[in-house]
Amino acid sequence: MKGLLPFYRGLCTLSNRQARRKAGIVGSRCGFCGTQSNSKPQPSFGLLFDIDGVLVRGRMPIPAAKKSFEKLVDSQGQFVVPVVFVTNAGNCLRQTKADQLSHILGVPITQDQVIMSHSPLRMFKKFHDKCVLVSGQGPVLEIAKNVGFKNVVSIDMLRESFPLLDMVDHNRRPKLPSNPLGNLPKVEAVILFGEPIRWETNLQLIIDLLLTNGNLSSIHKTQKMSHLPLLACNMDLMWMAEAHSPRFGHGTFLVCLENIYKKITGQDLKYDALMGKPSELTYHFAEYLIRSQAMQMQWKHPVTSLYAIGDNLMTDIYGANLYNRYLEERVARTNPKAIAKMVTATGSATTVPQEEEIDNMWESELALPAATSCKSVLVCTGVYNPNAEVPSDASHCIKETVFHGHRDFRFDPALVEPGHIVQDVAEAVDLIFEQEKFVPQ
């Protein structure tokens, strides 16, 4: 898929496999304590929960959330199935989100059960020693350092060093002429964690960095040229809070940045990586955590089925279906008949990912997945409006459907078709237990 190619290129330049494994990705604890008795049911499935619109709306818990998690833990408070929370939020540390979820759901959650949109950044080690600008809100400097970056600059630090650059808000303009202080190192890459507070300031200074190759003391260069590496987390156009209608997400900020850059230069903005849902790596990382939890519980049977529960067709459902397609294609790569069938259906052999292109990169960090399917479950408590239908005729979809996904991801009606639609997360858990014929003790 077009939007994932820059992401794959970014992973290709990681340091050698041995160094990566020594550095590690997650802690040794996987959110499960103790071991599971072999006499108890051992599930062959894991659950991936979105948070906003599924478990909470803004700061308000959705009533069905606590009810659903009462079914997922035993009398000792231990999970009876592997559970991972996959959120596109990126404004806090994983531990902070785990603490919030523990309070909301009334069950103990550890950080190794949480994937933030920025979690995959810890794999981009080639940028960890570079001077990077981080954009977003919350403790962005701490978040950046937590995922491996050592030399980090914030938007506020840029404003302080170059006070003449932020001129949109008249009340924040310097009262007297000022010379650039220039006491910061040259920025070598830009990391976009999430939507910032002052969009005009962030848009202006990020564009300045891209057009000066990180040297804010120089003038813009708008002729055709490559710009600084750009890595973006969270592509959600909208998300669901307490309001009746969805609110702007980081994807909306990216739309602004992309269009401003193109309007000025005539060229498309290029990303070295796009992370968070619906990126396949986010789901592969989630599968790895599910697998780790099953190992921690000493379950003998592999977790072969994943269920992704979300409220957004364009991220949760698209991403789960995209990862399911990847899992199916892994089988197809070893089955000549399946490959021939896929080529016939798509008209191109290039749609069949090669083993060396994907598996080697992921295997070096996470090992190959044990799961063979990822099934999507859509709830009606968030972004999804059950009264708005996606046309089933693919020949009309491009013209008649408003695609809320990121610019670099193509619309495919099959990818936004949920496996199941339920009212809320409690119904989702009941449905999955029924599908899997799982009865916890």
Side-chain angles (χ1 to χ4, degrees):
M1 177 168 289
K2 176 184 175 184
L4 296 176
L5 290 179
F7 182 73
Y8 295 150
R9 293 192 204 104
L11 286 180
C12 283
T13 56
L14 293 170
S15 57
N16 67 69
R17 179 178 304 182
Q18 184 178 5
R20 284 195 294 266
R21 284 178 171 162
K22 285 182 179 178
I25 301 176
V26 298
S28 60
R29 296 185 61 82
C30 301
F32 281 33
C33 300
T35 59
Q36 180 80 14
S37 170
N38 289 334
S39 64
K40 293 183 178 181
Q42 296 187 24
S44 60
F45 65 96
L47 305 180
L48 312 181
F49 287 95
D50 179 39
I51 298 176
D52 292 302
V54 175
L55 305 177
V56 299
R57 286 183 59 161
R59 297 182 180 180
M60 300 297 295
I62 292 172
K66 195 166 186 178
K67 177 183 176 183
S68 66
F69 274 79
E70 290 173 353
K71 303 174 184 178
L72 295 173
V73 296
D74 61 19
S75 57
Q76 286 77 45
Q78 295 183 16
F79 279 92
V80 296
V81 298
V83 167
V84 168
F85 301 89
V86 187
T87 177
N88 268 355
N91 59 351
C92 67
L93 297 169
R94 287 199 300 165
Q95 185 61 60
T96 303
K97 183 62 70 175
D99 293 341
Q100 293 172 355
L101 289 169
S102 297
H103 176 72
I104 291 169
L105 300 173
V107 297
I109 309 295
T110 72
Q111 67 171 352
D112 288 331
Q113 289 178 280
V114 177
I115 298 178
M116 309 294 291
S117 63
H118 52 67
S119 294
L121 281 171
R122 65 186 66 242
M123 298 175 67
F124 287 79
K125 295 180 175 66
K126 74 167 185 174
F127 293 107
H128 287 178
D129 292 323
K130 296 182 182 296
C131 178
V132 300
L133 172 79
V134 292
S135 168
Q137 55 184 292
V140 290
L141 296 178
E142 185 181 1
I143 293 170
K145 292 175 181 178
N146 183 261
V147 295
F149 296 96
K150 301 178 179 65
N151 191 1
V152 188
V153 174
S154 69
I155 290 289
D156 286 340
M157 292 165 67
L158 284 187
R159 286 191 69 252
E160 183 178 346
S161 293
F162 299 91
L164 294 178
L165 298 185
D166 184 20
M167 302 294 283
V168 173
D169 186 342
H170 290 224
N171 293 325
R172 297 215 304 171
R173 290 181 180 180
K175 303 304 179 184
L176 297 172
S178 174
N179 293 320
L181 301 179
N183 59 350
L184 291 177
K186 180 182 176 182
V187 173
E188 299 172 277
V190 177
I191 314 292
L192 307 178
F193 279 122
E195 61 271 20
I197 296 174
R198 286 185 169 269
W199 286 32
E200 79 282 0
T201 298
N202 284 259
L203 289 168
Q204 177 70 76
L205 296 183
I206 292 169
I207 290 291
D208 285 337
L209 284 172
L210 296 177
L211 296 182
T212 62
N213 198 33
N215 183 9
L216 292 181
S217 298
S218 64
I219 62 172
H220 286 184
K221 299 179 178 63
T222 57
Q223 66 271 26
K224 187 172 183 179
M225 57 177 288
S226 59
H227 56 69
L228 291 178
L230 183 64
L231 297 89
C233 312
N234 183 357
M235 296 167 271
D236 279 348
L237 187 74
M238 296 181 292
W239 66 289
M240 203 67 187
E242 293 93 339
H244 294 301
S245 300
R247 304 293 85 196
F248 290 162
H250 191 219
T252 307
F253 179 81
L254 297 181
V255 169
C256 296
L257 183 66
E258 291 156 8
N259 281 278
I260 292 170
Y261 183 85
K262 186 162 188 176
K263 194 71 172 179
I264 292 174
T265 67
Q267 307 298 320
D268 286 330
L269 190 68
K270 305 292 184 184
Y271 295 94
D272 282 60
L274 289 167
M275 281 160 281
K277 296 176 291 187
S279 163
E280 287 165 290
L281 182 73
T282 294
Y283 289 85
H284 193 81
F285 190 52
E287 192 272 348
Y288 168 73
L289 294 184
I290 291 286
R291 193 173 357 119
S292 299
Q293 290 177 23
M295 292 175 62
Q296 180 79 9
M297 296 297 287
Q298 297 183 4
W299 286 331
K300 295 181 180 179
H301 304 297
V303 174
T304 54
S305 298
L306 302 177
Y307 289 87
I309 305 167
D311 70 307
N312 193 327
L313 286 171
M314 304 299 176
T315 52
D316 302 314
I317 304 306
Y318 187 112
N321 291 340
L322 184 66
Y323 188 58
N324 185 66
R325 183 175 290 180
Y326 158 75
L327 294 174
E328 291 177 343
E329 288 172 351
R330 284 196 66 240
V331 177
R333 286 197 295 274
T334 60
N335 185 333
K337 291 183 178 180
I339 292 176
K341 183 177 180 181
M342 190 179 304
V343 171
T344 301
T346 61
S348 172
T350 61
T351 59
V352 183
Q354 299 302 309
E355 193 90 21
E356 300 78 16
E357 183 182 1
I358 299 176
D359 279 350
N360 286 349
M361 292 180 291
W362 287 350
E363 189 275 338
S364 64
E365 288 285 354
L366 308 175
L368 293 176
T372 56
S373 69
C374 182
K375 302 164 186 177
S376 56
V377 182
L378 181 67
V379 299
C380 302
T381 52
V383 170
Y384 173 66
N385 177 2
N387 298 318
E389 298 180 355
V390 176
S392 58
D393 186 349
S395 65
H396 294 95
C397 279
I398 300 300
K399 295 181 180 179
E400 297 181 6
T401 300
V402 178
F403 179 48
H404 292 171
H406 187 266
R407 175 199 70 182
D408 291 351
F409 286 74
R410 64 182 177 87
F411 178 70
D412 183 336
L415 293 178
V416 293
E417 182 67 34
H420 302 278
I421 302 177
V422 295
Q423 182 58 40
D424 55 37
V425 66
E427 286 190 19
V429 171
D430 287 343
L431 171 70
I432 294 166
F433 278 13
E434 181 182 347
Q435 292 276 316
E436 293 292 324
K437 296 179 174 56
F438 181 75
V439 181
Q441 292 182 354

